[in-house]
Amino acid sequence: MKKFWFFLLVFPLMGFSQKQTVVSSSRYFPKVDKVLEFEKGLAAHIAKYHSGEWKWRVYEIQTGEDAGGYMVVEGPKSWDEFDKRGNLGDEHIKDWNKNVAPYMTEKYSSSYAEYSEDLSTVPLASFADKISITHVFPKPGLSSKVEDVIKKLKKAWESGT
């Protein structure tokens, strides 16, 4: 019984010790009459603060319920790198609030995703100019079944059938 309780205490630490590759994404939505100003302000902000090690990739959302928005992707990094990044400083926030935020609507979303090589059909750092995203929301307890289906689909995609 002692071994069982010890396992339960150590098991979460085992998960944290594994190196995970994470991508952060945020979706921003410009005001309809301020799209050009938003794009200009976002481009200037990215050039100043997000072009080095923490480079942003920006995609225009052209279809679906978020059409008209922009998705900003950052990473891949580990959870530890995201945790240690910390605050980007007052100048960064002031620049965002002056040059980007005034042109945005209230709508916003943010998420993190972990890269899984056994579910992906592209290498980790293979970035594209255009992306297609399908949101999958498995019912509680069915995540493993969804992963199994994706693995089967991956085999079909890779074989070209």
Side-chain angles (χ1 to χ4, degrees):
M1 189 67 164
K2 286 183 181 179
K3 288 181 183 179
F4 175 73
W5 289 111
F6 178 75
F7 176 76
L8 285 178
L9 291 172
V10 174
F11 183 72
L13 298 176
M14 292 167 48
F16 287 118
S17 65
Q18 298 173 4
K19 182 167 170 118
Q20 309 260 314
T21 306
V22 181
V23 174
S24 166
S25 67
S26 300
R27 291 184 180 194
Y28 303 105
F29 299 86
K31 295 176 182 174
V32 176
D33 60 337
K34 299 293 183 186
V35 173
L36 295 177
E37 292 90 337
F38 171 82
E39 288 178 350
K40 182 180 175 186
L42 184 64
H45 180 80
I46 290 170
K48 191 171 183 179
Y49 295 101
H50 301 284
S51 59
E53 182 183 347
W54 289 87
K55 183 177 181 174
W56 280 9
R57 291 177 305 285
V58 179
Y59 300 93
E60 181 182 5
I61 304 168
Q62 297 183 344
T63 62
E65 64 185 47
D66 289 342
Y70 293 80
M71 187 166 92
V72 175
V73 179
E74 189 174 53
K77 300 286 184 187
S78 68
W79 281 117
D80 190 51
E81 288 172 301
F82 275 106
D83 288 342
K84 290 181 179 176
R85 179 179 184 191
N87 188 330
L88 297 179
D90 289 340
E91 290 301 316
H92 171 264
I93 299 300
K94 287 177 186 175
D95 184 78
W96 179 266
N97 289 338
K98 179 182 176 189
N99 297 314
V100 183
Y103 308 115
M104 293 173 25
T105 65
E106 301 284 324
K107 187 176 178 183
Y108 166 79
S109 69
S110 180
S111 64
Y112 291 91
E114 291 183 6
Y115 175 81
S116 181
E117 186 174 353
D118 60 333
L119 300 176
S120 182
T121 57
V122 294
L124 176 61
S126 179
F127 305 120
D129 293 336
K130 295 181 181 180
I131 60 175
S132 175
I133 297 175
T134 301
H135 296 276
V136 179
F137 301 98
K139 292 181 180 180
L142 297 179
S143 295
S144 61
K145 289 185 178 183
V146 171
E147 283 189 18
D148 291 342
V149 169
I150 293 172
K151 287 176 184 176
K152 290 176 184 173
L153 289 170
K154 178 183 175 182
K155 288 178 185 175
W157 293 326
E158 291 175 336
S159 70
T161 59

